[in-house]
Amino acid sequence: MNTPNKLTLLRIVMIVPFVICMQVEGIPHRFLWAFVLFVTASITDMIDGHLARKHGLITDFGILMDPLADKLLVTSALICFVGLGMIPAVVAIIILSREFLVTSIRLVAAPKGRVIPADKWGKSKTICQMVWISFLLLMQWALSQGIQADWMVLVNGLLMSLTTVLTVFSGGNYLIKNIDLLKG
């Protein structure tokens, strides 16, 4: 197994301690630990993609598991956030619906020999998601330490809104660009 694939597996494994940190109230500084795990996992995504492209290490495993690892990481965070009352369920539903839509389009395209890569809107959406989730984790840690600032709530609201809008736009873009796959 090559290094990019090992990093993808590491990202999946890191979801378990991330969720534990999110769910177990007795862990000191749990949101800070969740932040460190989430950011580290997000960085492995950038590194594994870079290494795979640079060194020609693209494999079927990586093509399948890399985007799945990203979706599992983000989905885990969103479900934890909803469960803890940190975000409205509708935001998670919109984001997860987009992921199911794009994955479904890719599954329909695959047997037809068509690969649908991430476009600039999908990449922008992913970056925005990672920044927002990271910020929300840091904000929760700050709040748990008694640090309160109106600007944090404002920034979180803006990042959540931007992420949701980019999610809807990028999902619509994938659908429009690939509508021919769904006909007939």
Side-chain angles (χ1 to χ4, degrees), residues 115-171:
V115 176
I116 302 172
D119 64 10
K120 66 180 178 181
W121 296 109
K123 290 177 182 178
S124 298
K125 179 266 316 170
T126 299
I127 291 168
C128 196
Q129 281 179 347
M130 299 303 185
V131 169
W132 169 52
I133 290 169
S134 299
F135 181 83
L136 183 53
L137 290 166
L138 273 182
M139 184 179 100
Q140 288 301 313
W141 174 76
L143 292 171
S144 74
Q145 299 303 300
I147 302 166
Q148 294 188 9
D150 291 338
W151 70 267
M152 289 188 299
V153 175
L154 177 65
V155 169
N156 179 60
L158 291 171
L159 287 172
M160 181 173 61
S161 298
L162 179 61
T163 298
T164 305
V165 168
L166 277 173
T167 296
V168 170
F169 184 81
S170 69

Side-chain angles (χ1 to χ4, degrees), residues 24-170:
V24 179
E25 291 182 24
I27 297 173
H29 305 286
R30 68 185 178 133
F31 293 116
L32 185 59
W33 286 113
F35 167 79
V36 168
L37 288 163
F38 185 85
V39 169
T40 303
S42 298
I43 290 170
T44 67
D45 181 33
M46 292 187 303
I47 294 170
D48 73 27
H50 173 74
L51 289 174
R53 286 185 297 277
K54 181 177 180 183
H55 299 290
L57 299 172
I58 297 171
T59 64
D60 289 341
F61 178 87
I63 290 169
L64 173 68
M65 294 306 293
D66 182 64
L68 180 60
D70 299 341
K71 287 170 184 24
L72 289 171
L73 180 63
V74 169
T75 298
S76 298
L78 294 174
I79 290 170
C80 288
F81 291 165
V82 169
L84 294 170
M86 293 165 56
I87 65 169
V90 69
V91 171
I93 291 167
I94 289 168
I95 293 170
L96 296 176
S97 296
R98 183 263 184 211
E99 299 306 332
F100 283 118
L101 171 72
V102 171
T103 299
S104 298
I105 291 170
R106 286 183 172 142
L107 287 173
V108 170
K112 298 176 182 181
R114 199 156 136 192
V115 176
I116 302 172
D119 64 10
K120 66 180 178 181
W121 296 109
K123 290 177 182 178
S124 298
K125 179 266 316 170
T126 299
I127 291 168
C128 196
Q129 281 179 347
M130 299 303 185
V131 169
W132 169 52
I133 290 169
S134 299
F135 181 83
L136 183 53
L137 290 166
L138 273 182
M139 184 179 100
Q140 288 301 313
W141 174 76
L143 292 171
S144 74
Q145 299 303 300
I147 302 166
Q148 294 188 9
D150 291 338
W151 70 267
M152 289 188 299
V153 175
L154 177 65
V155 169
N156 179 60
L158 291 171
L159 287 172
M160 181 173 61
S161 298
L162 179 61
T163 298
T164 305
V165 168
L166 277 173
T167 296
V168 170
F169 184 81
S170 69

